[in-house]
Amino acid sequence: QVQLVESGGGLVQAGGPLRLSCAGSGRTSSSYTLAWFRQAPGKEREFVAVITWTGSTTVYADSVKGRFTISRDNAKNTVYLQMNSLKPEDTAVYYCAARSGYGSVDVNRYSYWGQGTQVTVSS
């Protein structure tokens, strides 16, 4: 079992930065593929970014490519999402997720989820 706890959400003006963190604990969480998803009101949960357990491979949604950076510190069992040049359309609840297999953009392939952290971008 893996437990995930997100932090770092909040209210930010458009164009500003924000960094999210997700701390993992439990069964060898450092060996898991970790990802960020987000869900805006009335919309389905969507993929944002994923990083393999070695950190050697990252994949981003087209909507955040060039603005967001995912990274991880396995010594701290923590994954980060640095968000720059934020836009109002980035407003959503952001979730981190973990799975023991290869990286995936499919929300249904992730077994473990955090509780989410709200990000609100004002125009």
Side-chain angles (χ1 to χ4, degrees), residues 86-98:
L86 282 161
K87 305 175 181 180
E89 50 264 43
D90 294 318
T91 295
V93 177
Y94 283 71
Y95 299 90
C96 69

Side-chain angles (χ1 to χ4, degrees), residues 24-84:
S25 62
R27 187 177 175 185
T28 58
S29 58
S30 64
S31 64
Y32 283 66
T33 290
L34 297 172
W36 287 96
F37 290 80
R38 66 186 182 186
Q39 188 166 19
K43 295 188 176 181
E44 294 185 350
R45 194 167 299 188
E46 65 175 6
F47 168 77
V48 175
V50 63
I51 187 167
T52 55
W53 75 274
T54 62
S56 61
T57 301
T58 57
V59 177
Y60 297 91
D62 287 343
S63 59
V64 307
K65 202 173 294 183
R67 299 188 298 122
F68 290 11
T69 302
I70 188 171
S71 62
R72 66 190 294 168
D73 183 339
N74 286 342
K76 297 181 179 179
N77 287 334
T78 301
V79 62
Y80 304 97
L81 186 68
Q82 178 66 46
M83 305 184 292
N84 297 326

Side-chain angles (χ1 to χ4, degrees), residues 9-18 67-68 83-91 119-123:
L11 174 64
V12 62
Q13 288 190 329
L18 203 61
R67 299 188 298 122
F68 290 11
M83 305 184 292
N84 297 326
S85 303
L86 282 161
K87 305 175 181 180
E89 50 264 43
D90 294 318
T91 295
V119 172
T120 303
V121 184
S122 63
S123 57

Side-chain angles (χ1 to χ4, degrees), residues 89-113:
E89 50 264 43
D90 294 318
T91 295
V93 177
Y94 283 71
Y95 299 90
C96 69
R99 68 185 305 263
S100 59
Y102 292 107
S104 173
V105 303
D106 185 346
V107 63
N108 295 308
R109 293 190 176 272
Y110 287 82
S111 302
Y112 305 103
W113 292 86

